[in-house]
């Protein structure tokens, strides 16, 4: 018996994939709501980006792009659910740095992200921001290093979860500076920021989209960005590399689908996302969130996924991390 999933897989894998049937699938797509899976709770960078783009895709394509928050296991629960979904274009993933990091961080994954995901489009690369609460006296990276070394065991570093770029950015900072901080993982950026505001944790290397409003309001203080150069959105905040030589860690976000999703549907989604990147209002909003909009082919995004996986593998090995 050939199931719908098998038929879609055979269609996508066939050298004759560009058939009237596959073209009809793309022409009619989407004919019902599309689920966009986010591996974190509402309020973090991945959720903010998914809802921003999902709203415009819903408006343009006439079907709802419904964000489904599926936190847990460092983003792996969400990823596995997408990889095992029907490859019909109706289940998508907000691809984020944890997808690249987990390939080397986790010892027993049931999937290979590079192999099992169909890249659709990348749309933003942003810095993480080294941010402290008001109780921390340090005004820059050098002062923060001095503060941590003068207060051993007293500085807690929040993250949006084990294995996220937020976590790994902090681990790399500790490894490169000799600072010792206690890592406190949360189930997403929103609860981590809540405790930052409350003073329970002192520092976070958060993705810019979820932290920047708190920096602009003055409720939290940015002291460094993780890109090699300063960010145009925070021009007065130094790059960590200005103090910690060769430090660099940025976050690449995009859209993925299950392997064997028909290439015509992937191409249609890619075209729609790329068109959004050229809309002035969307471009302005993405810049406000910390990164320039990006226009790429699925193939180029696939190469970036491979490159990011290799980049973060080096960070994981550098920090000596492993999750069973």
């Amino acid at each position: 018996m050939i199931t719908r999933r098998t038929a879609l897989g055979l269609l996508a894998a066939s050298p004759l994939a560009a058939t009237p049937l596959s073209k009809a699938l793309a022409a009619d797509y989407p004919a019902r709501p599309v689920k966009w899976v986010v591996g974190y709770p509402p309020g973090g960078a991945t959720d903010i980006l998914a809802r921003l783009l999902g709203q415009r895709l819903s408006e343009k394509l006439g079907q709802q792009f419904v964000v489904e928050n599926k936190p847990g296991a460092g983003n792996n629960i969400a990823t596995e659910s997408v990889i095992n979904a029907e490859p019909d274009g109706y289940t998508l993933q907000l691809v984020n740095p944890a997808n690249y990091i987990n390939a080397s961080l986790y010892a027993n994954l049931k999937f290979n992200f590079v192999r099992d995901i169909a890249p659709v489009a990348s749309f933003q690369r942003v810095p993480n921001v080294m941010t402290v609460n008001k109780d921390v006296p340090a005004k820059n990276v050098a002062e923060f290093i001095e503060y941590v070394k003068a207060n051993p065991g007293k500085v807690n570093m929040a993250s949006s979860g084990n294995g996220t770029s937020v976590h790994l950015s902090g681990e790399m900072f500790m490894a490169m500076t000799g600072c010792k901080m206690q890592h406190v993982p949360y189930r997403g950026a929103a609860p981590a920021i809540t405790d930052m505001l409350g003073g329970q944790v002192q520092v976070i290397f958060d993705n810019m989209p979820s932290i920047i409003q708190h920096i602009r309001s003055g409720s939290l203080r940015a002291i460094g960005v993780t890109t090699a150069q300063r960010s145009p959105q925070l021009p007065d905040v130094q790059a960590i590399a200005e103090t910690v030589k060769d430090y660099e860690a940025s976050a690449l976000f995009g859209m993925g689908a299950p392997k064997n999703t028909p290439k015509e549907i992937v191409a249609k989604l890619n075209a729609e996302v790329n068109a959004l990147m050229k809309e002035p209002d969307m471009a302005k909003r993405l810049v406000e969130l910390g990164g320039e909009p990006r226009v790429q082919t699925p193939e180029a995004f696939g190469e970036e996924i491979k490159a990011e996986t290799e980049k973060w593998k080096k960070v994981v090995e550098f920090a000596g991390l492993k999750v069973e």
Side-chain angles (χ1 to χ4, degrees):
M1 178 180 177
I2 298 179
T3 65
R4 175 177 171 81
R5 179 181 177 86
T6 303
L8 284 164
L10 290 171
L11 178 65
S14 168
L16 300 177
T19 63
L21 174 59
S22 62
K23 291 179 179 179
L25 283 171
D28 294 339
Y29 176 86
R32 51 188 169 86
V34 177
K35 181 168 63 177
W36 198 351
V37 179
V38 172
Y40 300 98
T46 49
D47 182 71
I48 290 169
L49 291 170
R51 293 181 190 278
L52 177 64
L53 273 68
Q55 180 179 343
R56 281 296 293 132
L57 289 170
S58 300
E59 293 166 355
K60 290 187 66 180
L61 294 175
Q63 291 289 346
Q64 288 296 309
F65 279 66
V66 181
V67 174
E68 179 176 303
N69 298 95
K70 196 181 285 285
N75 197 71
N76 290 326
I77 291 173
T79 301
E80 190 169 348
S81 74
V82 173
I83 283 171
N84 291 328
E86 292 280 352
D88 56 8
Y90 290 93
T91 303
L92 306 171
Q93 181 169 17
L94 196 295
V95 178
N96 68 90
N99 294 123
Y100 325 128
I101 292 166
N102 290 352
S104 53
L105 180 66
Y106 284 80
N108 299 303
L109 289 179
K110 297 178 181 178
F111 56 85
N112 179 310
F113 189 74
V114 172
R115 180 194 66 205
D116 296 333
I117 202 75
V120 176
S122 66
F123 41 76
Q124 194 177 41
R125 183 187 288 277
V126 299
N128 290 349
V129 187
M130 184 181 181
T131 307
V132 297
N133 66 31
K134 290 183 176 181
D135 295 332
V136 176
K139 300 298 191 296
N140 55 51
V141 174
E143 289 181 6
F144 182 81
I145 293 171
E146 292 177 4
Y147 175 74
V148 173
K149 291 183 176 180
N151 293 274
K154 296 182 180 179
V155 179
N156 294 319
M157 179 189 78
S159 82
S160 53
N162 284 311
T164 60
S165 72
V166 180
H167 173 204
L168 269 292
S169 296
E171 290 285 354
M172 184 162 63
F173 181 84
M174 287 193 283
M176 295 179 74
T177 62
C179 289
K180 302 297 182 185
M181 298 182 284
Q182 178 65 41
H183 174 222
V184 183
Y186 290 81
R187 290 172 63 88
I193 291 171
T194 297
D195 276 7
M196 280 282 295
L197 294 167
Q200 288 89 343
V201 286
Q202 287 71 49
V203 64
I204 189 170
F205 292 73
D206 196 22
N207 303 139
M208 189 179 283
S210 54
I211 197 78
I212 194 166
Q213 62 179 324
H214 300 285
I215 295 168
R216 287 172 173 159
S217 72
S219 56
L220 295 173
R221 183 168 66 253
I223 60 174
V225 295
T226 63
T227 39
Q229 288 81 36
R230 297 191 181 198
S231 167
Q233 295 307 303
L234 296 170
D236 296 329
V237 178
Q238 70 176 116
I240 294 172
E242 293 174 36
T243 301
V244 184
K245 188 175 183 296
D246 296 328
Y247 184 98
E248 193 280 330
S250 56
L252 176 68
F253 296 93
M255 176 188 286
K259 179 183 178 182
N260 291 331
T261 298
K263 66 179 184 179
E264 289 78 15
I265 289 178
V266 170
K268 184 169 186 177
L269 282 167
N270 176 268
E272 293 292 345
V273 171
N274 286 345
L276 291 186
M277 297 299 101
K278 298 175 183 178
E279 292 182 357
D281 288 346
M282 179 62 71
K284 179 183 177 183
R285 182 67 179 125
L286 289 173
V287 169
E288 288 173 350
L289 290 171
E292 296 287 338
R294 316 176 86 239
V295 174
Q296 281 196 318
T297 64
E299 294 77 16
F301 183 34
E303 290 303 312
E304 280 199 318
I305 288 174
K306 293 177 184 176
E308 289 294 298
T309 301
E310 286 300 312
K311 178 185 86 173
W312 287 109
K313 179 181 178 181
K314 293 175 182 177
V315 177
V316 168
E317 292 175 346
F318 187 78
L321 300 173
K322 206 68 178 177
V323 178
E324 296 298 327

